[in-house]
Amino acid sequence: MTSQLEAKFAPAFGRDLKKKAAKRNWDLSELEKVIDLVIENSAESLETLKTRHNMHRLSGKWGGSNECHVANAADWLVIWRVNGDIAYFQRTGSHGELFR
Protein backbone atom coordinates (compact mmCIF):
# COMPACT_ATOMS: atom_id res chain seq x y z
CA MET A 1 0.00 0.00 0.00
CA THR A 2 1.46 3.33 -1.01
CA SER A 3 0.83 6.46 0.96
CA GLN A 4 0.07 9.97 -0.15
CA LEU A 5 3.06 12.24 -0.63
CA GLU A 6 3.55 15.79 0.56
CA ALA A 7 4.19 18.29 -2.25
CA LYS A 8 7.10 20.71 -1.99
CA PHE A 9 8.13 23.13 -4.69
CA ALA A 10 11.63 24.28 -5.61
CA PRO A 11 12.11 28.04 -5.98
CA ALA A 12 12.92 27.37 -9.66
CA PHE A 13 9.50 25.73 -10.11
CA GLY A 14 7.80 28.86 -8.79
CA ARG A 15 9.90 31.07 -11.07
CA ASP A 16 9.06 28.85 -14.05
CA LEU A 17 5.35 29.18 -13.34
CA LYS A 18 5.49 32.92 -12.77
CA LYS A 19 7.52 33.59 -15.93
CA LYS A 20 5.80 31.20 -18.30
CA ALA A 21 2.20 30.48 -17.25
CA ALA A 22 0.54 33.75 -18.29
CA LYS A 23 2.73 34.24 -21.36
CA ARG A 24 1.84 30.78 -22.69
CA ASN A 25 -1.76 30.78 -21.51
CA TRP A 26 -1.25 27.54 -19.57
CA ASP A 27 -4.35 26.01 -18.00
CA LEU A 28 -3.07 25.65 -14.44
CA SER A 29 -5.93 23.29 -13.54
CA GLU A 30 -4.21 20.77 -15.83
CA LEU A 31 -0.97 21.20 -13.88
CA GLU A 32 -2.90 20.72 -10.63
CA LYS A 33 -4.29 17.43 -11.97
CA VAL A 34 -0.76 16.14 -12.63
CA ILE A 35 0.46 17.28 -9.19
CA ASP A 36 -2.57 15.58 -7.59
CA LEU A 37 -1.76 12.33 -9.41
CA VAL A 38 1.86 12.48 -8.25
CA ILE A 39 1.00 13.11 -4.59
CA GLU A 40 -1.80 10.53 -4.61
CA ASN A 41 1.02 8.00 -5.17
CA SER A 42 -1.28 5.02 -5.78
CA ALA A 43 -0.89 2.26 -8.35
CA GLU A 44 -3.80 3.80 -10.27
CA SER A 45 -2.43 7.35 -10.24
CA LEU A 46 1.05 6.18 -11.31
CA GLU A 47 -0.49 4.16 -14.15
CA THR A 48 -2.43 7.25 -15.28
CA LEU A 49 0.79 9.29 -15.21
CA LYS A 50 2.56 6.65 -17.31
CA THR A 51 -0.18 6.08 -19.87
CA ARG A 52 -1.79 9.52 -20.21
CA HIS A 53 1.14 11.79 -19.36
CA ASN A 54 4.13 9.74 -20.60
CA MET A 55 5.82 9.70 -17.18
CA HIS A 56 9.35 8.31 -17.16
CA ARG A 57 12.59 8.39 -15.16
CA LEU A 58 15.32 10.74 -16.22
CA SER A 59 19.06 10.16 -16.37
CA GLY A 60 22.15 12.33 -16.56
CA LYS A 61 21.88 15.70 -14.83
CA TRP A 62 18.29 14.87 -13.84
CA GLY A 63 19.05 11.27 -12.75
CA GLY A 64 16.62 10.02 -10.11
CA SER A 65 13.90 12.46 -11.14
CA ASN A 66 10.69 11.83 -13.08
CA GLU A 67 9.25 13.81 -15.94
CA CYS A 68 5.85 13.89 -17.58
CA HIS A 69 3.74 15.95 -19.94
CA VAL A 70 0.95 18.19 -18.68
CA ALA A 71 -2.48 17.97 -20.31
CA ASN A 72 -1.18 16.03 -23.31
CA ALA A 73 0.57 19.26 -24.30
CA ALA A 74 3.38 18.36 -26.65
CA ASP A 75 5.84 20.66 -24.96
CA TRP A 76 4.79 21.36 -21.36
CA LEU A 77 6.71 19.23 -18.89
CA VAL A 78 6.98 18.81 -15.14
CA ILE A 79 10.08 17.40 -13.42
CA TRP A 80 9.96 16.05 -9.87
CA ARG A 81 11.81 13.77 -7.49
CA VAL A 82 10.34 11.62 -4.74
CA ASN A 83 12.33 11.46 -1.53
CA GLY A 84 10.69 9.44 1.23
CA ASP A 85 7.17 10.82 1.56
CA ILE A 86 7.88 14.10 -0.25
CA ALA A 87 7.32 14.86 -3.93
CA TYR A 88 9.71 17.69 -4.70
CA PHE A 89 8.61 19.52 -7.85
CA GLN A 90 11.77 20.88 -9.44
CA ARG A 91 10.95 22.55 -12.78
CA THR A 92 8.23 23.08 -15.37
CA GLY A 93 8.55 24.29 -18.95
CA SER A 94 9.36 23.13 -22.46
CA HIS A 95 11.93 20.54 -23.55
CA GLY A 96 14.17 23.30 -24.87
CA GLU A 97 14.13 25.19 -21.58
CA LEU A 98 14.65 22.22 -19.31
CA PHE A 99 17.09 20.07 -21.32
CA ARG A 100 19.37 22.46 -23.20
Side-chain angles (χ1 to χ4, degrees):
M1 169 84 188
T2 50
S3 59
Q4 187 156 334
L5 302 173
E6 177 185 347
K8 296 209 173 184
F9 300 90
F13 187 91
R15 285 192 301 274
D16 289 342
L17 268 185
K18 199 171 178 180
K19 276 200 310 210
K20 302 167 189 170
K23 189 173 15 170
R24 302 212 178 125
N25 204 22
W26 282 347
D27 180 353
L28 295 183
S29 69
E30 294 295 336
L31 177 61
E32 286 175 25
K33 288 177 193 172
V34 169
I35 291 171
D36 288 346
L37 287 167
V38 170
I39 62 175
E40 183 182 315
N41 196 36
S42 67
E44 296 82 13
S45 69
L46 293 173
E47 187 58 32
T48 300
L49 284 165
K50 287 176 188 162
T51 57
R52 190 178 304 151
H53 299 282
N54 193 25
M55 178 182 101
H56 55 278
R57 302 282 286 170
L58 297 173
S59 58
K61 169 184 160 189
W62 291 104
S65 294
N66 299 293
E67 177 245 283
C68 76
H69 294 257
V70 177
N72 292 333
D75 209 18
W76 181 11
L77 309 173
V78 176
I79 298 174
W80 74 96
R81 171 186 297 266
V82 175
N83 190 352
D85 60 355
I86 294 173
Y88 191 66
F89 292 88
Q90 298 164 289
R91 297 292 309 269
T92 187
S94 69
H95 280 97
E97 292 159 342
L98 300 176
F99 299 108
R100 59 185 130 106

